[in-house]
């Protein structure tokens, strides 16, 4: 019987560790589905998803998640309706949370060609892909050896950006039939729409909704919403400005400004460059993001499907033009609250620059 056990969790020990429940959600009717799981640290649990794309002759998997037997069974059910998995794409060089699932996914679908982005790396020891479990006879490099199904999918890259152990590089894919752009980390949209997995297991929400350690884990719709909003602030800023005190065994102590911080971050669910990427990856390479946003503005994109937070995100002809203009003019919200929320990220960036793990901005 299919189950949620994930025996390889020690390779990347993130919550919920060895038990990874998977939900299948249809994003674009009859064309694209998402297999969603949770991952995080200290109850900061956010969605991570793999996309299943219908193409001529079968299915393509984009961005692996933990390949549990339950996850594989959900893919098998889609195969019965839409054909066998013929292609597996690992679209990022730095997304270890996706990489760790690829070997098991490849073993589960031995007839599929495996494509990876250039510049793959491992930490703390640099190892070749076969040593990491990738099937050497079936692996091709995106853009170096071509691209999969180019008559149906448009491929283009974001990066590479040199980092400490290896580059940041992301392979994005436009599904021509639906106008859907598949991405991993490049853009996000956050709102009050929390993943269904957290409603099935609300403990992370209720933990962050508390004001002190003695407060019980009361489960109400208001508590779930409150916990989700605070969880999002942690996930996007690592150390939000509204957190005034942190305890080892008790919830975080929040200032009243946290609700305003969430509204400012969310912008009503608008598409945006993730703060972590903007502050830690692209300060030294803003032109790369500008070029990528400009390329997106020239494509017939109707939907953006990120691997984290909201998906799908509806866009129009001006969405990427506005993002490009904002990025090029460096018009990121410069309010006091926004600056304070980014202080921890900017301080961390200065530290890794000082340690020469990344080039100076």
């Amino acid at each position: 019987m299919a189950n949620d056990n994930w025996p390889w969790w020690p390779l990347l020990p993130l919550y919920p560790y060895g038990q990874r429940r998977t939900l299948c959600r249809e994003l674009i009717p009859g064309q694209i589905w998402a297999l969603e799981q949770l991952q995080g640290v200290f109850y900061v649990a956010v969605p991570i998803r793999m996309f299943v794309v219908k193409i001529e002759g079968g299915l393509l998997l984009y961005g692996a998640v933990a390949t549990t037997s339950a996850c594989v069974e959900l893919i098998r059910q889609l195969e019965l309706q839409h054909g066998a998995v013929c292609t597996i794409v690992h679209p990022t060089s730095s997304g270890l949370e996706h990489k760790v699932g690829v070997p098991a996914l490849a073993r589960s679908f031995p007839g599929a060609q495996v494509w990876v982005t250039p510049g793959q790396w491992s930490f703390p020891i640099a190892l070749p892909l076969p040593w990491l479990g990738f099937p050497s006879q079936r692996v091709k490099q995106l853009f170096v050896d071509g691209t999969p199904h180019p008559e149906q999918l448009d491929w283009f890259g974001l990066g590479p950006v040199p980092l400490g152990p290896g580059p940041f590089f992301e392979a994005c894919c436009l599904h021509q039939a639906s106008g859907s752009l598949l991405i991993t980390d490049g853009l996000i949209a956050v709102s009050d729409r929390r993943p269904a997995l957290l409603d099935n297991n609300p403990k992370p929400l209720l933990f962050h909704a508390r004001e002190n350690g003695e407060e019980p884990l009361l489960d109400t719709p208001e508590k779930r919403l409150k916990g989700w909003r605070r969880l999002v602030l942690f996930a996007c800023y690592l150390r939000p400005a509204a957190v005034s005190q942190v305890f080892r065994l008790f919830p975080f102590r929040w200032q009243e400004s946290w609700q305003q911080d969430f509204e400012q971050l969310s912008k009503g669910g608008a598409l945006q460059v993730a703060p972590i990427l903007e502050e830690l990856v692209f300060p030294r390479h803003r032109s790369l993001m500008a070029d990528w946003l400009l390329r997106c503005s020239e494509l017939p994109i109707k939907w953006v499907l990120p691997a984290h937070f909201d998906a799908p995100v509806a866009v129009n002809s001006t969405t990427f033009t506005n993002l490009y203009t904002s990025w090029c003019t460096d018009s990121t919200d410069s309010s006091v609250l926004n600056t304070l929320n980014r202080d921890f990220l900017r301080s961390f960036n200065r530290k890794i620059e000082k340690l020469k793990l990344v080039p100076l901005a």
Side-chain angles (χ1 to χ4, degrees):
M1 182 177 178
N3 60 62
D4 301 322
N5 182 54
W6 175 234
W8 299 104
W9 71 267
L11 295 175
L12 192 63
L14 298 175
Y15 176 89
Y17 311 111
Q19 290 296 309
R20 302 293 180 92
R21 186 176 182 185
T22 310
L23 291 183
C24 182
R25 192 160 62 94
E26 188 175 51
L27 301 183
I28 307 297
Q31 298 184 79
I32 302 177
W33 299 260
L35 298 185
E36 299 181 332
Q37 298 177 356
L38 290 176
Q39 69 168 28
V41 178
F42 198 54
Y43 288 147
V44 181
V46 297
I48 177 175
R49 57 181 63 93
M50 171 171 63
F51 299 109
V52 183
V53 183
K54 182 177 181 180
I55 54 175
E56 292 181 12
L59 296 173
L60 176 145
L61 307 180
Y62 178 99
V65 293
T67 311
T68 64
S69 60
C71 177
V72 172
E73 179 58 32
L74 290 171
I75 300 172
R76 299 290 187 205
Q77 293 174 17
L78 291 172
E79 284 188 312
L80 293 176
Q81 303 177 58
H82 305 287
V85 171
C86 57
T87 306
I88 296 170
V89 177
H90 175 52
T92 170
S93 61
S94 54
L96 301 183
E97 72 276 18
H98 292 285
K99 178 182 289 187
V100 73
V102 175
L105 191 64
R107 289 193 297 271
S108 298
F109 300 96
Q113 184 76 61
V114 180
W115 291 79
V116 304
T117 55
Q120 294 295 318
W121 53 273
S122 59
F123 181 84
I125 302 173
L127 297 172
L129 286 180
W131 288 29
L132 298 174
F134 284 67
S136 58
Q137 300 302 315
R138 290 190 281 141
V139 173
K140 291 186 176 182
Q141 285 194 70
L142 288 159
F143 312 115
V144 176
D145 300 317
T147 57
H149 316 289
E151 69 286 351
Q152 304 171 67
L153 307 170
D154 293 330
W155 297 88
F156 56 105
L158 174 57
V161 176
L163 301 175
F168 171 92
F169 190 88
E170 182 173 319
C172 313
C173 169
L174 176 63
H175 181 243
Q176 297 173 3
S178 66
S180 299
L181 179 66
L182 279 62
I183 59 176
T184 46
D185 301 313
L187 297 170
I188 61 170
V190 297
S191 70
D192 287 336
R193 294 187 296 273
R194 58 185 177 270
L197 285 164
L198 278 174
D199 281 324
N200 293 329
N201 177 23
K203 189 173 182 178
L205 303 177
L206 306 182
F207 177 88
H208 287 289
R210 294 189 296 172
E211 300 300 335
N212 59 71
E214 287 72 35
E215 185 177 330
L217 294 176
L218 297 177
D219 189 359
T220 67
E222 293 77 18
K223 292 285 187 181
R224 292 190 179 201
L225 177 59
K226 183 179 183 180
W228 169 247
R229 288 183 166 191
R230 289 177 168 182
L231 186 156
V232 166
L233 289 172
F234 264 111
C236 291
Y237 295 130
L238 301 186
R239 177 67 189 269
V243 172
S244 59
Q245 203 168 8
V246 178
F247 298 88
R248 289 184 178 180
L249 301 177
F250 300 117
F252 305 99
R253 190 70 57 83
W254 292 85
Q255 299 174 7
E256 293 183 1
S257 62
W258 74 266
Q259 297 199 60
Q260 186 179 351
D261 290 349
F262 176 82
E263 297 294 343
Q264 187 176 60
L265 170 67
S266 173
K267 300 181 180 68
L271 203 63
Q272 61 182 293
V273 178
I276 290 178
L277 284 191
E278 184 170 3
E279 301 298 341
L280 300 184
V281 175
F282 287 100
R284 292 155 292 274
H285 304 275
R286 291 187 65 86
S287 62
L288 287 176
M289 175 59 78
D291 292 344
W292 183 77
L293 291 171
L294 182 60
R295 173 71 183 275
C296 290
S297 72
E298 297 169 345
L299 295 173
I301 301 172
K302 299 178 182 177
W303 303 96
V304 175
L305 277 55
H308 304 285
F309 295 108
D310 285 3
V313 182
V315 298
N316 56 42
S317 59
T318 63
T319 301
F320 284 100
T321 301
N322 292 339
L323 281 171
Y324 170 77
T325 301
S326 175
W327 185 264
C328 290
T329 56
D330 196 16
S331 59
T332 301
D333 184 0
S334 58
S335 66
V336 173
L337 282 177
N338 182 65
T339 300
L340 290 174
N341 275 305
R342 292 170 182 257
D343 273 352
F344 177 83
L345 294 175
R346 291 170 179 173
S347 174
F348 185 76
N349 180 60
R350 289 192 295 270
K351 288 179 181 178
I352 59 178
E353 285 182 339
K354 186 176 181 180
L355 293 171
K356 299 183 179 179
L357 295 177
V358 295
L360 291 174

